[in-house]
Amino acid sequence: MAANEGREVALSSEDLVDDDELREALVVLAGSDPNHCSYQQGYVKRQAVFACRTCTSEGMEPAGVCLACANHCHDEHDVVELYTKRNFRCDCGNEKFGSFKCKLSPEKDGLNIRNLYNHNYLGRYCSCDRPYPDDNDQVGEEMIQCIVCEDWYHSKHLGCSVVDAEELLEMVCESCMNRAPFLWTYAAYYSSPPVSSKEDKDTTVMGDKEEKETVFYLGSNDEPSTSQGCQKEITSKGTSVLSHKRTHEEMERCSLTSQSQMLTCKLKELKAKGSVRARVGAVFWPYCWRSKLCSCTDCKRVYVETGAPFLLDESDTVLAYENRGRALLTEDLLMSCLNSLNRVQQLEIIYQYNEMQVELQEFIQELTDQGKDVTPEAICNFFEELQARKKKQSTAGQYLCS
C-alpha cells in the first residue's frame, strides 16, 4: 500500500468498460421508480421493464413488470432486464401470473390490452431468435435495439454494415422499414450514408412508385379539409360563391382547406426530388432525424396506420429517458451529500457551486466573443485552473491561520 502512495492508479480498458456499463445501467434504472408500482400511472411513455422467468416460463403468455415490482415482488426470482419499453403498463399480479398477486398494487385489471409483447419477454432476441447471453456465442457480439419494434439485433443480422460514428445514432431494422415504407424516402436524405451490402435499383424505384400510390390513396380519402375537389369548386365558382350566403359548415370547410394549403407535405417534396436508396438492410439515423419528418394531416394518419405515431415525439427517445434518469441520479447524489453536512457546510457548498457556475458562464462567453470553439479540452482546462486557484487559496489560508 505504501509503495503506491502518491501515484496515480492506472485503470485497464476492462475497468473503464465496466464503469461505463454500470453508469449506463444506473441511468436506465434512475428514470423509473424503484419503490412504487407504475401500474397506477397507466401506460407509461417509457420505463424500465423486466420479465420474470420464474412466474412466466416458456409456453406461457409473455408478461412484463416494472422496476419496483422486480425489486419487491420478484426479488428472489429469475428476473431478466429488458432495458426500456414504450407505452407499457405493469403486468405484475394480473391474470397472466395465476394466483400470484402484486405486493405493491394488488388491484389490477386482468390484462393490459394495449401492451405490446415480442419474444424478448421470453428471453429471445434478434431475427435468429436466440437467447442473450448466448452460451453458443463465443464472440459475445454486441446487440443493437431497433427504435420501432424495440427488439435487439446482432450486428451480423442487420443486413448492412454497422455505422461507426462518434455521435449517437438510432437504428430501424429492415422489417420495420418495410412496415413503414415512407421511411425509405427519408432515408435517402437524412439517414447515415447507405452502406447496404446489396443494391437493387429496379426494386427501389418500383417500391418508391408503390409508396407514392399508397400515400396518395390515403390523402385522397381525406375529409374536405384537404380535398382537391373542394378547392376546384371554390376556384371555378369563386364569383357565384360570393353571391349567396354561405352556411357555417361551408365556412369552416373553406377555413380548414386554407389551413391545409398552408401546410406543405415534406414527404411529397422529397419524393419529387427523386433520390432513392436500396431498400435492403437496417437503417441508421442521426439523432435529430425525427425533427425532419412531416407532420401534415396525411402523414400523421400514415404514422398511426403503420403503428409508429411516436416517431413525431422526440421525448419518446431512449436518450430523452436516460437524460431524465441522469438528472434524477445527479440530484439524488447531490441531495445525499448535502444531507450528510451541517448547515454551515451546506451553505458553503451552495455558495461555491454558484460561484463556479458564474465563472464557467463567463469563460464560455469569453471564448464565444473571441470566436473560439467551446471544446471538451477547453472545459477541462477551465476546471484544472479553477482547482489550482482553489488549492492555492486554501494553502494561503492555512499559512495565515498558523
Side-chain angles (χ1 to χ4, degrees), residues 40-202:
Q40 300 301 330
Q41 301 176 38
Y43 293 87
V44 180
K45 178 178 288 189
R46 183 169 294 282
Q47 64 175 314
V49 177
F50 302 78
C52 180
R53 291 179 177 176
T54 303
C55 296
T56 55
S57 56
E58 189 72 29
M60 298 178 65
E61 285 291 319
V65 301
C66 66
L67 173 61
C69 288
N71 288 340
H72 297 275
C73 305
H74 306 266
D75 55 333
E76 296 183 359
H77 294 184
D78 182 11
V79 174
V80 179
E81 182 184 0
L82 302 180
Y83 199 47
T84 69
K85 298 292 183 182
R86 70 167 60 88
N87 298 330
F88 190 86
R89 195 175 197 185
C90 181
D91 287 322
C92 180
N94 67 13
E95 67 180 43
K96 291 188 174 186
F97 289 79
S99 60
F100 181 88
K101 293 299 180 183
C102 177
K103 298 177 183 178
L104 302 178
S105 182
E107 298 299 325
K108 294 182 177 178
D109 293 338
L111 295 173
N112 296 314
I113 58 175
R114 288 170 52 191
N115 280 357
L116 298 177
Y117 305 92
N118 59 18
H119 60 173
N120 294 172
Y121 291 84
L122 302 175
R124 301 193 299 273
Y125 306 85
C126 189
S127 55
C128 63
D129 200 36
R130 295 293 301 170
Y132 182 86
D134 190 349
D135 294 336
N136 296 329
D137 183 8
Q138 302 300 323
V139 180
E141 187 178 1
E142 177 186 10
M143 300 191 77
I144 304 172
Q145 188 181 37
C146 170
I147 65 161
V148 177
C149 65
E150 298 189 304
D151 195 2
W152 292 81
Y153 292 85
H154 297 101
S155 56
K156 64 184 177 184
H157 294 146
L158 290 176
C160 68
S161 300
V162 176
V163 176
D164 185 14
E166 293 184 2
E167 65 176 358
L168 187 61
L169 300 175
E170 291 191 314
M171 184 273 287
V172 179
C173 69
E174 182 177 353
S175 295
C176 288
M177 290 292 296
N178 290 331
R179 279 194 290 268
F182 62 88
L183 288 177
W184 290 112
T185 300
Y186 289 105
Y189 297 91
Y190 302 129
S191 69
S192 292
V195 288
S196 299
S197 55
K198 301 177 183 178
E199 289 187 4
D200 188 348
K201 294 183 179 179
D202 293 337

